[in-house]
Amino acid sequence: MISSQRQHLILSRLRTRGAVRITALSKELGVSAMTIRRDIAELADKGLLKRVHGGAVTTSTLLSEPLFSVKSQMDIGLKDAIAQEAVKYVAPGDVIAIGGGTTAYVFAQHLLESQQASGITILTNSIPVAELVQALESKDVEVIVTGGVTTRSNSLVGPIADKVIASLRVNTVFLGTHSVSIPRGFLMPNSLEAATDMAMMSIADRTIILTDHTKWSCTSLSLFARFDQVETVITDDGLDPDTAAKTKELVNELVLAEQVEPAQESEQK
């Protein structure tokens, strides 16, 4: 397959999935990861996609949201680093809320493997997070699911979810975000999901945003939180110093988690 054919297929996968991963494309097309990187670089130079760690995403970010199954394979090392820091903000017996998205999901994985999960109650609008708790052998963790309408990110949103949330109270809410805008705040492409995140924030004593450094270069449609509404932002140390300095001026606490280095991808010659 020549480069133009590969690039056409890459763009086709992006249109249907919203994001692609280098390792998956390399296996599907039977070429080296380096070849896929070159194809992605050429398409990025033409403005046809946006390069991210481990793959690429569509440039149409305002209204699009990649499927959960695709996003969960992107930036795994960054999400692990962020999740490990976030677990430190939970104490045994806490009542917390966990929003939708893959970074929040990875946080839930790490939390449920830790001692901090002892006796906690989790309110969530994330179907995958609820399934994680349901699969636990220990029943020491209680989960409350909001109900609502499902999104591409396997989140439950809308009036039903918001009504359930409004009747409860939590110590801390942990939310992901599709993009970070200085000085505006945190945004989502789905206005219903943004509204449900706002509902979760309204019942929490403390809001913590979990997001990797690539989200500062994205944009989205719907604002769900200003910087002054958030106590802590946990990201990775890939955030450039200038952006980090500007963010620190706007938020109470910015945590830069040390990245977990992914295993080196094997490349065919």
Side-chain angles (χ1 to χ4, degrees), residues 255-268:
V255 178
L256 301 178
E258 184 177 353
Q259 294 185 44
V260 178
E261 290 297 329
Q264 294 296 317
E265 296 171 352
S266 60
E267 297 182 0
Q268 303 172 16

Side-chain angles (χ1 to χ4, degrees), residues 13-14 16-21 56-58 66-67 70-71 74:
R13 296 292 183 270
L14 273 176
T16 57
R17 301 174 183 172
V20 291
R21 186 160 174 79
V57 296
T58 177
L67 292 171
V70 176
K71 288 177 66 181
M74 307 297 291

Side-chain angles (χ1 to χ4, degrees), residues 179-202:
S179 62
V180 184
S181 174
I182 295 175
R184 293 185 66 203
F186 307 92
L187 301 100
M188 287 288 186
N190 185 322
S191 59
L192 287 177
E193 189 161 10
T196 297
D197 283 349
M198 292 170 66
M200 283 194 174
M201 290 174 57
S202 72

Side-chain angles (χ1 to χ4, degrees), residues 19-264:
V20 291
R21 186 160 174 79
I22 289 171
T23 51
L25 288 171
S26 174
K27 183 177 180 180
E28 179 181 357
L29 300 179
V31 296
S32 70
M34 184 61 71
T35 297
I36 298 298
R37 287 194 185 93
R38 283 196 295 266
D39 287 336
I40 286 176
E42 290 181 18
L43 291 168
D45 289 341
K46 298 174 183 177
L48 298 174
L49 54 74
K50 182 180 181 298
R51 297 171 70 180
V52 296
H53 184 79
V57 296
T58 177
T59 54
S60 303
T61 55
L62 279 174
L63 296 172
S64 64
E65 177 77 3
L67 292 171
F68 183 92
S69 59
V70 176
K71 288 177 66 181
S72 63
Q73 298 303 311
M74 307 297 291
D75 303 322
I76 296 173
L78 307 184
K79 293 170 185 173
D80 278 332
I82 293 164
Q84 288 168 15
E85 285 295 325
V87 168
K88 300 174 184 178
Y89 289 79
V90 181
D94 272 356
V95 179
I96 66 171
I98 301 178
T102 54
T103 305
Y105 175 76
V106 175
F107 159 64
Q109 288 180 311
H110 283 270
L111 175 61
L112 294 174
E113 293 169 357
S114 73
Q115 293 182 345
Q116 281 94 319
S118 176
I120 67 172
T121 298
I122 298 174
L123 167 67
T124 188
N125 69 324
S126 167
I127 295 172
V129 169
E131 290 175 341
L132 271 180
V133 180
Q134 187 64 27
L136 286 176
E137 291 184 7
S138 168
K139 297 304 179 185
D140 195 29
V141 179
E142 181 179 355
V143 62
I144 302 169
V145 184
T146 64
V149 179
T150 58
T151 68
R152 287 172 61 85
S153 60
N154 282 7
S155 300
L156 295 164
V157 301
I160 295 174
D162 299 349
K163 185 174 181 179
V164 170
I165 292 167
S167 67
L168 302 170
R169 189 77 190 173
V170 300
N171 302 123
T172 307
V173 59
F174 296 86
L175 298 172
T177 184
H178 188 267
S179 62
V180 184
S181 174
I182 295 175
R184 293 185 66 203
F186 307 92
L187 301 100
M188 287 288 186
N190 185 322
S191 59
L192 287 177
E193 189 161 10
T196 297
D197 283 349
M198 292 170 66
M200 283 194 174
M201 290 174 57
S202 72
I203 67 160
D205 297 328
R206 175 175 62 173
T207 297
I208 297 178
I209 300 290
L210 312 177
T211 183
D212 67 76
H213 74 273
T214 66
K215 303 301 174 61
W216 271 259
S217 59
C218 300
T219 188
S220 297
L221 179 68
S222 300
L223 182 75
F224 70 88
R226 302 187 310 271
F227 281 99
D228 62 3
Q229 294 175 300
V230 171
E231 280 68 37
T232 302
V233 175
I234 304 177
T235 187
D236 60 89
D237 58 4
L239 189 65
D240 70 86
D242 182 57
T243 302
K246 291 178 180 177
T247 303
K248 284 181 180 178
E249 293 176 358
L250 296 168
V251 73
N252 182 55
E253 180 185 28
L254 176 67
V255 178
L256 301 178
E258 184 177 353
Q259 294 185 44
V260 178
E261 290 297 329
Q264 294 296 317

